[in-house]
Each structure stands twice: as C-alpha cells, then as structure tokens.
Amino acid sequence: MCGITGLFRLNASSCKANIIQKMNTTLNHRGPDDNGVWEGAPGVALGHCRLAVQDLSQDGHQPMHSACDRFVMVFNGEVYNFAEIRQSLSQQSFKGHSDSEVVLCAIAEFGLKAALRKFNGMFALAIWDKQQKTLSLARDRVGKKPLYFGRSNDFFCFSSELKALKVISDFTPELDMQALGQYMRFNYIPAPYSIYQGIYKLAPGSFVTLTVDELTSEHDLLDKCQQYWSALDVAAHQFNHPFSGTLDEAQTHLTHLLEDSTRLRMISDVPFGVLLSGGIDSSLVASMMQKQSARPVNSFSIGFSHSDKDEAHLAKNIASYLGTSHNELYVSGQDALDLVPDIAQHYDEPFADSSQIPTFIVAKLAKSKVTVALSGDGGDELFYGYNRYFRNIKNWQISQKIPDALKRAVSGQLFRLASTQKLGLTTNKYANEIGAMNVLDMYMSRICKWVAPENLMLHPHTPEQHKLHAVSALDLPRPEHYLMLYDYVTYLCDDILVKTDRASMANSLELRSPLLDHRITEFAWSLPMSMKFHEGKGKHVLRKVLDQHIPNSLTNNPKHGFGAPIKSWLNGPLNDWAEDLLTQDKIEQQGIFDSEKVALLWHDFKHKKKKYHTQLWNMLMFQSWYHNQ
C-alpha cells in the first residue's frame, strides 16, 4: 500500500523532481518504508512512497520501469491474483516477486484496458508511455484506492491525497460550491468531484489516457475518462438474469468464493489480522481467515464507554469461539476529544461520517501488531443489510396506494410550511418523502442530512445528481435493487471506502475487503431477493454461510452500525470545541453559510434538545477542515 504523486508541466523554471519529493513527503503515512522520484522529458515527473507488503526488497522500488523501458509506473494497492497473471505472461524473467512488477508487465504486454480487466484487487496507478508520450491513470473497480487529478494554472497534477497537491507553490484552488452542496446533503463529496474546482476523483472502474496537448490544454478531463468495468451495466444485467439454483447451491458457491477471496487477501510478507466488530460481515471474514490459518489470527475491536453503541462484547464472544488472538480497546469522550480536532485533516476535504472516529482508533490499534488487516466492508450494499432499506421499502409500498395528486398536494403544503420556518429541517424531509414519485426519490429524503442545503448556503449552487439519474434510468426488476445499487456506486465508494482508506493509511495500515472481490459482487447481484431478505432480516444467504462456522446464538443480534455517540459527546467533552467553530464571527467571515441559521441550529440542539447532532457534525467537520486547510 502506498501513495503516488505526479506532475506535468512544460517549460517549468523549478525542478519538478524537487516538487514531487515535497509531495511525497506529505504522504509518508501512506508509505513510510521507501520513497522514489522519476523525472523525464517532456515535462513529466512521478513520485511514490511505499508501504512494503509484498516483496520487501528493493526489487519492489518505484517508480518502476518496464523491461522494454517504454513504460514508467507508480502503483498504489494490491493485485491479489498477480501469481496467476504472472504465469500467463510471455515474459518469465522478473527482478522480484512483487505484484507491482506483474502489473507493469501485464500492461506492457496486453495493453492498459485489457490488463485492468484481468486484475482482481484494489489499486490506483499512473503510467507514463515514453514512446507515445501519454500519461494514463486508472482505478480499481469499486474504488478502494483514491486518485485525485486535475489542472491548476499551467500544470497537470495527480496524487493519492489532496494534501500532496497543496505543497505545489502555485496550486491556487477555489472551493467548488456545487461540491459543497453535495457534501451538505450526504456527508461526503461524490466522485468525480472534489472540494476544489478543476480537481477531480477518478471514478471507480475507470481509466484515462492523456496526450501532452490534453495534459496542458483546456480539454475537458472528465470527457476523456473511460470505463473498463461498469457497476451499473453489470448489476443491471445480473438483476435481470437471476441465479436459478437453490438456496443450498447459492450458499455453497458463495462459500467457495469467500474462501478464495479471503485466501488471496491473506497473501502477505508482513503480519496480518482482522477488524472484528461482532456483526455478520466481519465475523464471516474472521471465520474464513481462522479456518485457513495455522495459528490464531490477530483480531481487533473497540467499544465505547457508557454508550448504547458498544458492541465490543459481541466481538469478544465471537473471537473467543473462533480462537483468534483478540485485542480490544474502550473509547471515552476524552479519547474522542483528543482525536477530533485533527481528524478532518486526514480526509483532505470535508467528510462527516461520524464512524470515522472509531475506524481511525481501531486502525491505530491494529497497526500496533500488524501491517495488513481484513474487514467486512461491502456486505450491507450487496446483501441488503441496512435497516434503512427495510423502512424505505415499507414506506414506498404504502405510498403506492396513495393517489399521486394527493401526495403532491400534501407535499406542497409541507414545503410551504417549511418556507415559513427558520430551519424547517424535519418539515422539508417529510415533504420530500411524501411527494416522492419513485423509490429512489423517497430514499434520498431518508439519507440526506440536509434535504435542501441551498437554504443554508449564501451562494447556493444546485447539486448535480448524475448517479441518481443514472440509477433511476435503469429498468430493474424490484425497488430494492435501486437502493442497493445506488448505495454501491455512491455511499460505498465515496463514504465507506474513503473512511477506511484514510483511517487505515493515516496509521500506515493496509486494509483489505474480501466481500468486495468483484466475483462476489457480481454473484451477489444475481441472487434473488428471497436469498437476501427473509423473515424480516437481510443478508439471508450470508447468515446461512456464517452458520456453518459460528453458532447462530452468537451472531443473531440487532444491527447497530459502527457510529460514534456524537450526540452525547457534543453535549459533553466536545461542547467547547463545537462552540468555538460555530461562532457567528467565524461563520460571517467565511461568507459561505447563513450565520443566523447556523446559530439557531446550535441553540436548538443545546437548549431545546432537538436531534440536530447529525447536521451539526456535518457543519463542524466542514468548519474544522476549512480553518485548517
């Protein structure tokens, strides 16, 4: 696991290699074991900082040159099936045994797009073609590894994290208010946008190849991006061509896929473990790991002191049953207070999923003993696991029995009422939900933190909803499919995986997710809903697989999620920190938000005990980021 950087600038007066070295330094947490820079004509420089996981020798050093010397590559991530790909290559003489060398050889032999389709892994890469004088960027199917790219002034740049771009002396970005509107809605900024104008995230399953002219001209960078794997296309096909076997056959096939996916992600030259929350997904991954390990696997979990969100005892019971070497840590309000003032800076742009705190702490705990850890990310989106899915579908079924004219009339009345209220948060939410004409619109009203962020912003830009429209336009058999697919292409890659990548890499820990193997993803999309939702519970087939390894009595618990007790913390140890960030003077000086509405939000939370802690955390994470950028 690593950090990658790059810069393209013609006729530069300063040495690009020196700039790249500074960019690398900002990413030392992603790769503390090695550092490399390459500069070449006509104006390109690449950088790499390495967390050595596979082939710890200097044979894995990057930037890496192909045997034919045509290509130079920087690579972040892991391709788990590299041994299989290596056997298929005509070149059989390799310097070392790293997956990076196999990746570069595969691209040289098969071409970029064909090679990407062969890779099973998580990665972001950049490759310079000396012959064609082109720069190519690529990202894994689901978007596990980050990659920012774009132009500022007269240069093109890219990096694993935005902070690396900020060390470039003439990098002068402006806030993208449309992206900020998206953040206010969702707690994160969806790809391909970033908080800065002209700087983008490469979309999952995509690549882009740019000529010298395209790197420096005004060409639209997003128009040049291509997909080698489309979640929307693959999912739509699988939903409409469901698995025709029995539940037992699905269970057997899924077990084989999970065993192989876990086996591949246990290949490592450094110690590894598992993040164990006590839920279905992480328990399944832990059981698969322990089954394939000759010694106790290191497992890690955290709990919250004096909180109803604490599930550490569940993880401990499962670890005891499996025989893992378990490690746990309990988090207090003071622990959060120590971490919160700086946590926004690990994300480089506004990010407000409160589970970023426990995720960071458990990653730090894991790093104390291992360099690689596996997690259960992906199970909810693929196997219908979120409680909000069940509630939304139930409400949609009720809504369909109500005449559209009546829904529009009631919704309109509520919107008018909201316009007379100073905040109108709850009223706006109900108005959207009641007036929804399709299941995704209703779902949006449930998941948005601010249904109408433009009411809070002084200079609003209506957020674009490209992915919402793309998913809505599909012809899917069931309403449940729309919810899962929308979350897969938005919430999973832009929230969950951003959270886990930044939290783990800030602690120099590589995090791998067996459930996000694309073979499991594609099989999960083919399963009928009866194999996912049964007797009021999601993840039916996953539970059947888990029952083979852990007694149902240990895993049949209500789902609580991995959030932090933000409400009690804001009323306690984080109160002064929040008060300072939300002062009227600060809000007015920024010129972004309506200071009176922000003050009212804080007042009603503190004194009227209204449940605005989610919206406040959203505001506070922006404020913390803004005042430290």
Side-chain angles (χ1 to χ4, degrees):
M1 203 56 55
C2 313
I4 63 176
T5 58
L7 187 65
F8 186 91
R9 171 187 264 149
L10 289 171
N11 305 317
S13 57
S14 59
C15 177
K16 291 181 289 297
N18 289 343
I19 299 173
I20 290 291
Q21 187 57 60
K22 290 179 182 178
M23 295 170 72
N24 280 0
T25 300
T26 69
L27 301 181
N28 278 343
H29 54 283
R30 296 190 74 93
D33 299 327
D34 192 17
N35 189 293
V37 172
W38 173 82
E39 183 176 5
V44 65
L46 305 177
H48 186 266
C49 47
R50 184 185 184 204
L51 177 65
V53 170
Q54 194 69 35
D55 190 348
L56 309 186
S57 74
Q58 276 298 105
D59 291 331
H61 177 78
Q62 296 184 46
M64 185 175 287
H65 297 254
S66 62
C68 62
D69 201 39
R70 175 178 170 179
F71 302 103
V72 186
M73 181 188 74
V74 286
F75 177 83
N76 167 31
E78 301 286 345
V79 167
Y80 305 117
N81 62 335
F82 74 96
E84 174 189 337
I85 294 172
R86 180 169 173 158
Q87 293 299 316
S88 70
L89 294 168
S90 59
Q91 177 184 329
Q92 292 298 314
S93 177
F94 295 87
K95 291 182 180 179
H97 63 273
S98 72
D99 62 323
S100 301
E101 188 175 7
V102 173
V103 166
L104 182 53
C105 290
I107 292 171
E109 181 164 332
F110 304 125
L112 180 60
K113 188 173 184 178
L116 290 170
R117 288 174 169 168
K118 295 177 182 291
F119 299 158
N120 180 346
M122 55 175 186
F123 57 84
L125 64 85
I127 188 163
W128 177 255
D129 184 334
K130 298 179 185 178
Q131 179 178 306
Q132 297 293 325
K133 292 183 172 53
T134 58
L135 177 70
S136 296
L137 308 175
R139 196 174 177 204
D140 65 75
R141 289 173 177 84
V142 66
K144 281 278 291 178
K145 294 291 101 183
L147 188 57
Y148 292 90
F149 70 104
R151 300 192 191 96
S152 183
N153 294 319
D154 66 340
F155 62 87
F156 175 92
C157 51
F158 70 85
S159 178
S160 297
E161 297 181 14
L162 277 176
K163 61 173 61 70
L165 306 184
K166 295 179 183 179
V167 304
I168 304 171
S169 59
D170 47 354
F171 179 66
T172 55
E174 295 183 9
L175 291 187
D176 186 329
M177 289 301 170
Q178 185 166 276
L180 179 56
Q182 295 276 37
Y183 163 76
M184 298 298 291
R185 283 175 180 260
F186 303 118
N187 280 349
Y188 59 85
I189 297 173
Y193 304 106
S194 83
I195 191 60
Y196 295 131
Q197 294 180 26
I199 303 297
Y200 306 103
K201 305 180 185 87
L202 187 63
S206 295
F207 70 98
V208 60
T209 297
L210 301 166
T211 64
V212 170
D213 177 61
E214 291 163 342
L215 286 165
T216 55
S217 69
E218 294 301 315
H219 288 85
D220 190 324
L221 294 173
L222 296 182
D223 284 347
K224 299 294 296 181
C225 295
Q226 303 177 56
Q227 288 185 298
Y228 66 89
W229 187 83
S230 167
L232 296 184
D233 291 347
V234 175
H237 178 271
Q238 296 294 85
F239 287 149
N240 284 290
H241 297 82
F243 178 74
S244 59
T246 65
L247 177 61
D248 285 345
E249 289 170 336
Q251 175 184 327
T252 299
H253 185 59
L254 182 56
T255 299
H256 292 324
L257 288 176
L258 284 165
E259 288 175 345
D260 191 56
S261 174
T262 304
R263 175 189 64 81
L264 288 174
R265 284 157 181 78
M266 290 171 68
I267 297 173
S268 171
D269 291 338
V270 293
F272 58 81
V274 60
L275 306 188
L276 181 59
S277 69
I280 299 295
D281 308 329
S282 65
S283 299
L284 185 55
V285 171
S287 65
M288 292 287 175
M289 291 180 72
Q290 192 57 69
K291 180 181 178 180
Q292 300 183 60
S293 177
R295 63 184 68 178
V297 171
N298 281 292
S299 57
F300 304 91
S301 68
I302 66 166
F304 297 107
S305 303
H306 312 297
S307 171
D308 59 2
K309 291 181 178 290
D310 176 42
E311 294 183 333
H313 64 287
L314 303 179
K316 187 174 183 178
N317 291 339
I318 289 167
S320 177
Y321 181 83
L322 292 175
T324 67
S325 177
H326 194 54
N327 306 266
E328 64 179 3
L329 177 69
Y330 276 83
V331 182
S332 67
Q334 185 60 47
D335 295 322
L337 184 63
D338 294 340
L339 178 62
V340 164
D342 298 321
I343 198 167
Q345 304 317 304
H346 292 299
Y347 292 85
D348 284 338
E349 56 183 349
F351 183 81
D353 182 335
S354 64
S355 61
Q356 62 199 128
I357 297 173
T359 303
F360 186 94
I361 295 172
V362 76
K364 185 175 182 179
L365 173 65
K367 180 59 181 178
S368 66
K369 289 195 174 182
V370 301
T371 302
V372 172
L374 276 63
S375 75
D377 295 321
D380 290 305
E381 294 82 4
L382 294 173
F383 294 93
Y384 201 63
Y386 290 125
N387 291 331
R388 62 177 183 257
Y389 291 161
F390 317 152
R391 292 192 294 267
N392 199 83
I393 292 299
K394 183 177 181 179
N395 289 347
W396 176 244
Q397 290 168 344
I398 295 171
S399 174
Q400 287 185 296
K401 299 175 183 178
I402 302 172
D404 288 349
L406 179 58
K407 287 192 287 188
R408 283 192 289 265
V410 174
S411 178
Q413 288 282 8
L414 287 172
F415 276 125
R416 284 188 286 275
L417 175 60
S419 69
T420 67
Q421 300 171 334
K422 290 183 178 180
L423 288 174
L425 298 181
T426 303
T427 310
N428 260 319
K429 204 173 187 71
Y430 285 146
N432 271 277
E433 185 164 356
I434 290 171
M437 293 298 149
N438 63 62
V439 70
L440 264 184
D441 285 343
M442 178 175 282
Y443 188 56
M444 291 292 288
S445 69
R446 179 172 293 278
I447 64 176
C448 284
K449 315 309 170 187
W450 297 88
V451 174
E454 57 272 16
N455 292 343
L456 187 73
M457 300 171 67
L458 296 177
H459 308 287
H461 292 255
T462 303
E464 295 182 16
Q465 301 290 335
H466 297 304
K467 293 179 182 176
L468 176 66
H469 299 323
V471 176
S472 296
L474 296 173
D475 182 18
L476 304 182
R478 296 179 61 103
E480 294 92 338
H481 294 148
Y482 289 96
L483 309 189
M484 289 186 289
L485 183 55
Y486 179 77
D487 272 355
Y488 185 91
V489 299
T490 56
Y491 179 68
L492 175 64
C493 61
D494 294 320
D495 183 310
I496 300 297
L497 299 184
V498 170
K499 173 188 66 181
T500 54
D501 175 81
R502 303 308 189 276
S504 60
M505 294 312 298
N507 292 286
S508 302
L509 176 75
E510 176 173 311
L511 199 59
R512 302 174 174 180
S513 306
L515 287 169
L516 291 177
D517 187 303
H518 69 277
R519 298 170 299 170
I520 293 176
T521 294
E522 293 171 5
F523 180 64
W525 282 334
S526 77
L527 294 174
M529 281 304 301
S530 61
M531 295 187 185
K532 295 182 179 181
F533 189 64
H534 181 70
E535 296 182 348
K537 294 180 180 179
K539 303 183 183 178
H540 182 45
V541 69
L542 274 188
R543 293 173 188 270
K544 297 290 286 184
V545 174
L546 185 59
D547 286 347
Q548 298 175 319
H549 304 278
I550 301 175
N552 182 267
S553 59
L554 292 179
T555 59
N556 190 22
N557 300 291
K559 182 179 178 63
H560 294 295
F562 196 46
I566 292 299
K567 184 179 179 181
S568 61
W569 285 350
L570 289 178
N571 277 314
L574 296 182
N575 186 275
D576 291 343
W577 167 78
E579 187 94 48
D580 178 64
L581 285 174
L582 297 177
T583 58
Q584 192 163 354
D585 286 347
K586 283 185 177 178
I587 301 296
E588 288 179 352
Q589 287 172 7
Q590 291 169 209
I592 297 173
F593 301 110
D594 184 322
S595 61
E596 291 186 5
K597 290 184 177 179
V598 173
L600 182 62
L601 183 75
W602 180 239
H603 175 273
D604 284 0
F605 170 76
K606 283 178 48 176
H607 301 292
K608 295 187 177 180
K609 307 302 179 184
K610 292 191 176 181
K611 297 179 179 180
Y612 289 160
H613 53 283
T614 301
Q615 289 84 1
L616 280 167
W617 189 251
N618 178 289
M619 282 292 306
L620 288 164
M621 284 292 99
F622 173 81
Q623 290 296 101
S624 181
W625 171 84
Y626 183 87
H627 288 288
N628 290 282
Q629 63 171 315

